[in-house]
Amino acid sequence: MRLTRDGVTPARGGPGPAPPARRAAGPPPVRKSSGNPTGMLQEGAAHLVGRLLPAPTPDEQLAALLRAQAVLHSYGVTAWQDAIVGTYANMIDPTPAYHAAADRGLLTARVVGALWWDRGRGAEQIPELVARRAESSRGRFRATSVKVMQDGIAENHTAALLGPYLTRCGCASDNSGISFVEPAELRKYVTELDALDFQVHFHALGDRAVREALDAVEAARAANGWRDTRHHLAHLQVVHPEDVPRFRALGASANLQALWAAHEPQMDDLTIPFLGPERASWQYPFGDLLRAGATLAAGSDWPVSSPDPLAAIHVAVNRIAPDAPEGTPAFLPGQRLDLGAALAAYTAGSAHANHLDDVTGSIAVGRLADLVVLDRDPFAGPPEEIAAARVLQTFVEGRRVYAADDA
């Protein structure tokens, strides 16, 4: 989804030697020189087309959910957080499909649903979220989180930054991205949600969005004291160094999508030239977060990118994509995680974020037998071969839900 061009290595262990320079392309244009639209729709504008599409039937929704569950089990995933539960953009609410699967005994994974925060509304929607939490939780599905999308993405310059994006010439533009929820209001909403024992799952990609989300968590802690709500910030593409230690101080988990922390065209053509060298060196600071004592959780953002945890762990450890051309340099190698820390983020860390760490996320006496069998020991081979590992079997509570021989 996102994913420097300077040959100078910043003091923080920056990008190192960069791939051959290419002209900064910039975000795809939304209009031609004539003024006519190109067909590129950004953020909420996608609804202009999406609202015209026929809605899937309940049977189609259930089939899609079961297909997705089978795919995730094939990658060794036994539980996940569905980041958007509710009606959003071109998607209809998946809750009925989760209920149907749970009622029929077909939901083999444990799922936490993050109820969508309608950014066009305010605190008046909170009682509705409370009611939906009570109505939605069924079987292995619990709707105990609230998803707040605080900004967009870097490639189209909607990620919220503390300073303006650069233009193709390297000059400051008049755009610093979008904060979808006004920061003062965000602090109020998060404080109220926290008091009601909701977890808040923030989409926070740019450094301004990260700071606004942390400020909201800080406001909630000041008003409500420390509650076991386990708020987490997802994506964290650009994090100002001053905000890195705040994750531990506030008990906010860092929700990583490690697969994106690599040199590839979206990073090298659409992102780094428009951030500039300093901000480019603040991207995906996994190592700094770990060293600062932050709790690391990890996920995929599927279907935006691959749900394969082993491919993402490969990037977290190597900072090079598994399919990168030979000679591709590591991206900010000082931010690498060791294999143990990366595996922990994708197991114990994710279980912690989902309030499942008392039953799963690690192998211990008294825990549920959520197990994955690989075709090799990833610690026994070189780091460059982590992504080559394959899942042979997946078990949920001791029941086999995937076998490679049956696929």
Side-chain angles (χ1 to χ4, degrees):
M1 175 178 174
R2 34 196 137 265
L3 283 145
T4 128
R5 191 117 40 217
D6 281 67
V8 178
T9 303
R12 297 176 65 253
R22 293 177 287 211
R23 182 178 181 273
V30 297
R31 293 189 180 276
K32 301 176 183 177
S33 57
S34 64
N36 293 325
T38 62
M40 168 64 71
L41 301 175
Q42 296 184 12
E43 307 299 341
H47 183 63
L48 296 171
V49 172
R51 63 186 174 83
L52 304 176
L53 299 175
T57 67
D59 286 345
E60 289 171 335
Q61 267 199 299
L62 177 59
L65 171 60
L66 297 179
R67 171 59 181 153
Q69 178 176 251
V71 170
L72 292 171
H73 283 334
S74 77
Y75 286 118
V77 176
T78 63
W80 65 82
Q81 183 160 147
D82 191 324
I84 300 178
V85 173
T87 301
Y88 161 70
N90 303 325
M91 299 182 291
I92 64 174
D93 187 358
T95 304
Y98 279 115
H99 286 174
D103 291 346
R104 300 180 195 181
L106 301 174
L107 187 61
T108 48
R110 271 175 294 280
V111 183
V112 171
L115 300 170
W116 175 247
W117 179 269
D118 184 348
R119 57 186 183 243
R121 303 173 64 197
E124 72 276 6
Q125 66 189 289
I126 293 178
E128 300 168 18
L129 295 172
V130 172
R132 288 183 59 201
R133 175 173 59 184
E135 297 163 357
S136 297
S137 299
R138 191 176 305 183
R140 287 187 168 127
F141 177 72
R142 297 178 296 114
T144 54
S145 188
V146 173
K147 172 67 175 291
V148 175
M149 191 164 181
Q150 186 57 12
D151 68 343
I153 62 172
E155 290 87 346
N156 68 2
H157 298 184
T158 59
L161 300 180
L162 292 168
Y165 287 91
L166 303 183
T167 63
R168 289 184 177 87
C169 69
C171 309
S173 72
D174 59 357
N175 174 34
S176 296
I178 302 172
S179 293
F180 287 122
V181 182
E182 198 280 321
E185 295 301 306
L186 181 68
R187 294 192 290 273
K188 296 177 185 176
Y189 302 152
V190 172
T191 297
E192 186 169 347
L193 291 167
D194 179 78
L196 293 167
D197 291 325
F198 274 110
Q199 175 190 81
V200 180
H201 175 161
F202 298 92
H203 169 117
L205 196 138
D207 55 0
R208 189 174 85 235
V210 171
R211 182 164 293 178
E212 290 165 351
L214 290 171
D215 287 347
V217 174
E218 185 173 45
R221 299 295 190 218
N224 304 328
W226 279 73
R227 305 174 70 88
D228 191 26
T229 38
R230 306 189 191 183
H231 307 305
H232 54 109
L233 282 64
H235 308 325
L236 305 177
Q237 179 161 357
V238 182
V239 183
H240 193 286
E242 292 177 2
D243 289 316
V244 168
R246 298 180 69 199
F247 283 81
R248 177 178 174 82
L250 297 172
S253 296
N255 181 344
L256 314 178
Q257 285 63 55
L259 194 65
W260 303 339
H263 282 295
E264 53 84 49
Q266 290 187 112
M267 173 63 78
D268 296 326
D269 295 340
L270 299 181
T271 304
I272 289 170
F274 304 98
L275 293 178
E278 182 176 45
R279 284 185 304 203
S281 73
W282 298 346
Q283 293 187 88
Y284 304 120
F286 306 158
D288 283 350
L289 286 163
L290 181 66
R291 288 183 286 270
T295 296
L296 304 185
S300 68
D301 210 36
W302 188 56
V304 170
S305 52
S306 169
D308 183 359
L310 290 166
I313 290 167
H314 178 104
V315 178
V317 173
N318 294 285
R319 303 286 288 204
I320 298 174
D323 57 353
E326 186 175 354
T328 299
F331 177 69
L332 297 168
Q335 299 300 336
R336 289 177 169 132
L337 297 177
D338 63 61
L339 179 54
L343 279 168
Y346 278 88
T347 52
S350 295
H352 173 84
N354 283 339
H355 286 84
L356 292 172
D357 53 317
D358 57 338
V359 295
T360 189
S362 60
I363 300 173
V365 175
R367 300 296 173 92
L368 299 175
D370 290 358
L371 304 169
V372 179
V373 180
L374 303 180
D375 67 350
R376 69 194 71 189
D377 177 357
F379 289 93
E384 297 80 11
E385 295 180 5
I386 293 172
R390 291 292 176 264
V391 173
L392 298 180
Q393 298 183 85
T394 303
F395 295 83
V396 175
E397 295 184 32
R399 173 192 168 193
R400 190 168 70 179
V401 295
Y402 170 77
D405 292 342
D406 300 334

